[in-house]
Amino acid sequence: MAVALVLVDVDGTLLRVAHSEPRFAAHLVGRGCVGPRQLLAYAGFALRGWRRYGWELLRKNKAYLCGLRAEHVARLGERFVAEHLFRHIRSELVERLRAHAERGDRLVLLTGTPDFLAWPLARRVGVPRVVATVCATDGSGRYSAAAPRVHPYGEEKRVLAERLCAAHGTTLAECVAYANSASDLPLLKAVGTPVAVAPDTGLTAAARRSGWRVIEGRAP
């Protein structure tokens, strides 16, 4: 049997809940890590970026991290995953991933979730590779108010999946992708084996039309 590249989304897919990043941002506020500097940077990005990003502005705005040390955020992310997110892991999907791994398939978390949350989740479920949102940093190792350097969302997620395939000597036609949202349709339409996990309304309709496999569950 051919080895497949298995691409797995996080929010609403690997996790039963969505919005892991806003949850983490609220956690930072509660810890006093987000103050006037970050709020001003966030507002400034919104003002500058509206015309460029439109309705995707909130997804691109990572300025709430401005000035925070990346390594400190990574430590907080690790702890946040352990204490607040891991209990929401979708166990039936983890079992599927273990079956893929036993067959020799290569597992990748491909997600718009920031890397400081995606990597701790990946380690806990045995996924060895992550392609996640990479927020911009300055030369001192602190986050800046710029848009993310890497942002796997929508069409960009499909493009990144193509690059992964090239790196692994395979094609999207040989990939399996698990996702829950209509925003993942560019990727799901491109892979050989799309799987909708607790799909939202838009993805449910697309999966029915196309005859894709669906793992049922309450959409977050």
Side-chain angles (χ1 to χ4, degrees), residues 1-114:
M1 184 180 293
V3 173
L5 193 61
V6 180
L7 310 173
V8 186
D9 181 45
V10 169
D11 279 9
T13 304
L14 180 62
L15 293 175
R16 293 183 181 277
V17 296
H19 311 303
S20 60
E21 183 183 6
R23 290 166 186 255
F24 180 65
H27 178 71
L28 293 181
V29 172
R31 290 181 59 92
C33 298
V34 174
R37 177 182 178 182
Q38 287 75 31
L39 294 175
L40 285 171
Y42 191 86
F45 184 95
L47 290 171
R48 294 190 307 274
W50 171 252
R51 184 166 295 178
R52 178 176 180 182
Y53 297 117
W55 295 110
E56 298 305 321
L57 177 67
L58 291 178
R59 298 184 186 278
K60 293 289 186 181
N61 194 346
K62 312 300 181 185
Y64 68 92
L65 297 168
C66 181
L68 302 183
R69 283 205 164 275
E71 62 180 34
H72 180 54
V73 172
R75 287 196 299 271
L76 292 175
E78 186 90 40
R79 185 171 177 180
F80 183 78
V81 166
E83 295 179 356
H84 301 284
L85 292 184
F86 187 66
R87 65 176 177 264
H88 298 295
I89 287 284
R90 195 180 297 277
S91 58
E92 63 270 34
L93 182 54
V94 173
E95 289 303 314
R96 282 175 172 265
L97 298 183
R98 286 174 181 159
H100 279 293
E102 288 170 3
R103 289 197 296 267
D105 295 339
R106 293 165 290 190
L107 308 180
V108 184
L109 289 193
L110 177 59
T111 174
T113 301

Side-chain angles (χ1 to χ4, degrees), residues 117-132:
L117 298 178
W119 269 113
L121 285 166
R123 287 190 287 269
R124 285 175 173 268
V125 298
V127 175
R129 181 158 187 184
V130 170
V131 178

Side-chain angles (χ1 to χ4, degrees), residues 126-193:
V127 175
R129 181 158 187 184
V130 170
V131 178
T133 293
V134 179
C135 300
T137 55
D138 59 23
S140 69
R142 295 179 184 272
Y143 285 112
S144 72
R149 291 173 21 226
V150 179
H151 188 214
Y153 180 78
E155 177 63 17
E156 187 172 348
K157 181 180 278 192
R158 186 197 63 77
V159 171
L160 290 166
E162 281 190 335
R163 293 176 187 170
L164 274 171
C165 288
H168 285 86
T170 188
T171 65
L172 285 174
E174 298 173 278
C175 288
V176 181
Y178 292 91
N180 78 301
S181 172
S183 66
D184 293 306
L185 281 171
L187 174 65
L188 293 170
K189 289 178 178 179
V191 299
T193 307

